[in-house]
Amino acid sequence: MADFDAIYEEDDDDTNVYYSDDQIISTVPDPVIVRGSGNITIFGLSNKFETGFPQELSAKVAPEEYRATVERINSVLRKTLPMNIKWLLCGCLCCCCTLGCSLWPVICLTKRTRHMVTKSLDWENSRLYHKLGLHWALCRERCDTSNMMEHVLKIEFIPKVPIFKPD
């Protein structure tokens, strides 16, 4: 006869891991994509990202931590993109005279801005998100409405590695 009032403990570690013939197949959710929501985009990099909390992260990270991270990224963009805009305007005005060489400063400044955002995300990953099983990255993806590329924040789920215990 079954013991109806007994409490059994479920092991949550193996919820997304399947075993088949000495192979481990782990399923992880699709990454969360945070697209730029600013009104200015220079070489695919928007001037800000939306701070609204995505529902896919509701059980993984606190909304305050998510918002703080996006605001740190936005502050980096707020500091660097006005200078990029000035150099872009100067480069466009002088483009015919310099045969396009006047656009090199804005290309280098945009690369520097992307590098600063990546460094900030690496710091956030090592400080908090890798411990929570998440990885933030700045990636290039194709726009939904056109063939142009844009920079987005991609939040990937790190799969849990099962620990085999000898029987």
Side-chain angles (χ1 to χ4, degrees), residues 64-112:
E64 297 83 19
E65 288 290 338
Y66 172 84
R67 191 173 297 110
T69 300
V70 175
E71 286 175 359
R72 278 188 202 97
I73 300 303
N74 286 342
S75 71
V76 169
L77 294 173
R78 204 174 16 256
K79 289 176 188 173
T80 58
L81 281 179
M83 183 61 70
N84 293 6
I85 292 170
K86 292 174 187 173
W87 277 102
L88 180 64
L89 291 175
C90 291
C92 288
L93 290 175
C94 302
C95 187
C96 294
C97 299
T98 61
L99 299 174
C101 292
S102 60
L103 293 175
W104 276 108
V106 74
I107 292 171
C108 293
L109 285 172
T110 304
K111 183 177 179 179
R112 180 174 170 241

Side-chain angles (χ1 to χ4, degrees), residues 25-80:
I25 302 170
S26 177
T27 60
V28 293
D30 292 333
V32 177
I33 303 294
V34 180
R35 297 198 181 277
S37 64
N39 53 0
I40 298 173
T41 302
I42 298 178
F43 294 117
L45 188 61
S46 181
N47 66 334
K48 76 174 195 174
F49 289 98
E50 187 62 42
T51 58
F53 187 70
Q55 291 300 321
E56 295 91 357
L57 298 176
S58 62
K60 292 287 187 181
V61 66
E64 297 83 19
E65 288 290 338
Y66 172 84
R67 191 173 297 110
T69 300
V70 175
E71 286 175 359
R72 278 188 202 97
I73 300 303
N74 286 342
S75 71
V76 169
L77 294 173
R78 204 174 16 256
K79 289 176 188 173
T80 58

